[in-house]
Amino acid sequence: AVVSTQSESECKECDYGFYTNLTRQTKCSSCSRGTFSVHPGSVECTECPAGEYSSGTAASSCIPCSPGFYSQTPGNTECAQCPGGCYSSEEGSRKCEVCEDRMTSPAGSTSSTNCTGSCSAGYIHTSQNSTVLCEECAAGTFSLEGAVECSECSTGQFSVPGSGACSVCSSGTYTNTSRSEACLPCSPGTYTNTSRSEACLPCSPGTFTNVSSSRACFHCPPGTVTSSTGSYNCTSCPENTYSNSNNTLCLHCSPGSHSNTGSSDCVTCETGFYHNVSSNSCLKCPETPGSALEGCLQMVEHEAPVLSPTTEPVSESMYQSLSVRQITAIVLSFIGIAAILSVSVYAVCWTHFKLHDMSYSPRSTGLGESIANTGANYSSCSEVTPGVQQTEEENIYDVPGKQETFQ
């Protein structure tokens, strides 16, 4: 095989790795992969023999397979690795030698010394064309060294391919089926705080979790609650209610106090202010007494100081700063003073009338003794002045139409 060019007057042979099978050619073609040409002027390329290969073009020779590899057919572009349970110890091997019965070896073994009596953990013995191989266990299964079959992982466990043991699901994850390839995360509102879980637990009332794979639930923040199980969020308490340690129920503010939405406590109205259910803030007491003053009586009662009885009137402006106890004390003081005055006036009038309507005898009256007589049932009388003689004339009281003398 020769070629020529216009600038040259004679033909040239194709070089190593090249060929041409046509006449009047100006250039040679390169040998393809898996072939070679060892002589100049080749008209064709030759396939690499079994046990050898060529991976590139224009090869002038083939490369023998390395130990642990082989090629059974000619024209190979690469060599194959000896499978498990086999070996090849020489270069250019056309086949791999099989390990003795019931023995195996890793893939690509280069010596019979690589053959052992059992497969490693995560693999099992299989036979293929009279060759003992080690087959990898699938995901969700495992095997110990020398096992002839793979075992399934139980619930709460998982495994990846080629595992010698199953792994347990960590807290926050679970699996409720056997032969699992992976664990599943707990959904929001559920959790698990133990490993190897088969199911997640719902959050109890008053707690929540809003993320996946939770290991615990969290208490609702102050001012928020949840009364259901499996909650992934909490609800804010409405106006005029609150929640602090009780995370399942919003409590109503006591009279005289209020709160905003999401409050953890209620605010007590100051003196001179009151609160009703239609507002979320304290209102100022009216200066003029009237129907609106009733709202002030709903204020939280503060401890009032002890008040002394007084006869001074309470001005209208005092309603702004007096609590219910203070107002009550003042009213009771007025009532007490009025009662004392009424009793005193009644006693004076009653005594004066009785002394004009009856006679008495001084003979039984001594010094320092109270005046008393039959028919005079009163608890206190004026005393007789010591050393003063009373005559019968002094004991006579003129009553129109009647005159009596005490005996």
Side-chain angles (χ1 to χ4, degrees):
V2 293
V3 293
S4 65
T5 63
Q6 295 179 352
S7 61
E8 296 179 348
S9 59
E10 58 183 32
C11 296
K12 297 175 104 176
E13 292 182 331
C14 292
D15 202 354
Y16 298 102
F18 291 86
Y19 77 101
T20 181
N21 54 8
L22 300 174
T23 59
R24 303 178 65 87
Q25 297 298 307
T26 59
K27 65 178 180 179
C28 298
S29 300
S30 60
C31 293
S32 60
R33 295 175 61 197
T35 64
F36 72 102
S37 66
V38 68
H39 302 291
S42 296
V43 296
E44 63 179 357
C45 295
T46 305
E47 288 184 329
C48 292
E52 297 181 9
Y53 73 100
S54 67
S55 58
T57 60
S60 60
S61 64
C62 294
I63 304 172
C65 294
S66 301
F69 291 83
Y70 73 102
S71 64
Q72 291 180 320
T73 58
N76 287 291
T77 60
E78 63 182 358
C79 296
Q81 187 180 51
C82 290
C86 301
Y87 67 94
S88 67
S89 58
E90 298 178 359
E91 289 186 344
S93 296
R94 298 183 178 184
K95 66 176 183 178
C96 297
E97 304 297 329
V98 180
C99 292
E100 295 180 5
D101 189 29
R102 303 298 298 172
M103 297 185 72
T104 188
S105 66
S109 293
T110 60
S111 173
S112 59
T113 58
N114 297 133
C115 297
T116 60
S118 62
C119 294
S120 60
Y123 295 81
I124 57 172
H125 283 290
T126 61
S127 297
Q128 182 178 352
N129 298 326
S130 300
T131 301
V132 179
L133 303 176
C134 288
E135 182 179 338
E136 185 180 61
C137 290
T141 65
F142 74 100
S143 70
L144 301 178
E145 183 179 356
V148 294
E149 64 179 10
C150 299
S151 303
E152 292 184 348
C153 295
S154 61
T155 56
Q157 297 178 320
F158 74 100
S159 72
V160 296
S163 295
C166 295
S167 301
V168 297
C169 295
S170 59
S171 56
T173 64
Y174 77 102
T175 175
N176 54 8
T177 59
S178 59
R179 205 181 178 94
S180 294
E181 299 180 12
C183 298
L184 303 175
C186 291
S187 59
T190 63
Y191 76 101
T192 173
N193 55 7
T194 58
S195 58
R196 199 174 180 175
S197 295
E198 299 179 7
C200 297
L201 304 174
C203 293
S204 59
T207 63
F208 78 104
T209 175
N210 56 1
V211 296
S212 301
S213 304
S214 291
R215 300 181 179 181
C217 296
F218 308 96
H219 289 286
C220 289
T224 63
V225 296
T226 175
S227 58
S228 59
T229 59
S231 295
Y232 56 86
N233 60 12
C234 299
T235 304
S236 297
C237 290
E239 292 181 350
N240 298 323
T241 64
Y242 72 99
S243 171
N244 41 37
S245 60
N246 186 350
N247 305 109
T248 61
L249 181 66
C250 295
L251 305 176
H252 288 283
C253 293
S254 58
S257 61
H258 71 93
S259 69
N260 295 321
T261 302
S263 295
S264 60
D265 202 355
C266 296
V267 179
T268 303
C269 295
E270 298 180 358
T271 303
F273 291 81
Y274 72 102
H275 174 261
N276 56 35
V277 294
S278 63
S279 173
N280 65 338
S281 61
C282 295
L283 305 176
K284 187 175 182 180
C285 290
E287 296 185 3
T288 302
S291 59
L293 185 60
E294 297 177 0
C296 292
L297 300 180
Q298 300 176 16
M299 297 189 316
V300 174
E301 297 182 1
H302 298 285
E303 290 296 331
V306 179
L307 299 178
S308 301
T310 177
T311 57
E312 295 181 2
V314 179
S315 63
E316 293 178 353
S317 61
M318 291 180 64
Y319 288 111
Q320 301 178 16
S321 59
L322 297 180
S323 67
V324 173
R325 289 187 178 181
Q326 292 173 324
I327 294 173
T328 302
I330 293 174
V331 172
L332 292 178
S333 298
F334 279 119
I335 293 174
I337 293 172
I340 294 173
L341 293 176
S342 298
V343 172
S344 300
V345 172
Y346 175 78
V348 172
C349 294
W350 184 83
T351 303
H352 179 73
F353 174 77
K354 284 296 183 179
L355 291 178
H356 280 75
D357 195 44
M358 62 183 178
S359 301
Y360 64 94
S361 173
R363 289 176 296 177
S364 60
T365 303
L367 295 178
E369 294 178 344
S370 299
I371 299 174
N373 195 19
T374 303
N377 295 323
Y378 39 81
S379 59
S380 63
C381 300
S382 59
E383 294 182 349
V384 177
T385 304
V388 177
Q389 297 291 331
Q390 294 180 330
T391 62
E392 291 185 1
E393 290 75 9
E394 292 175 335
N395 294 328
I396 299 174
Y397 290 81
D398 293 330
V399 178
K402 186 176 180 180
Q403 187 178 59
E404 293 184 357
T405 303
F406 289 97
Q407 299 297 327

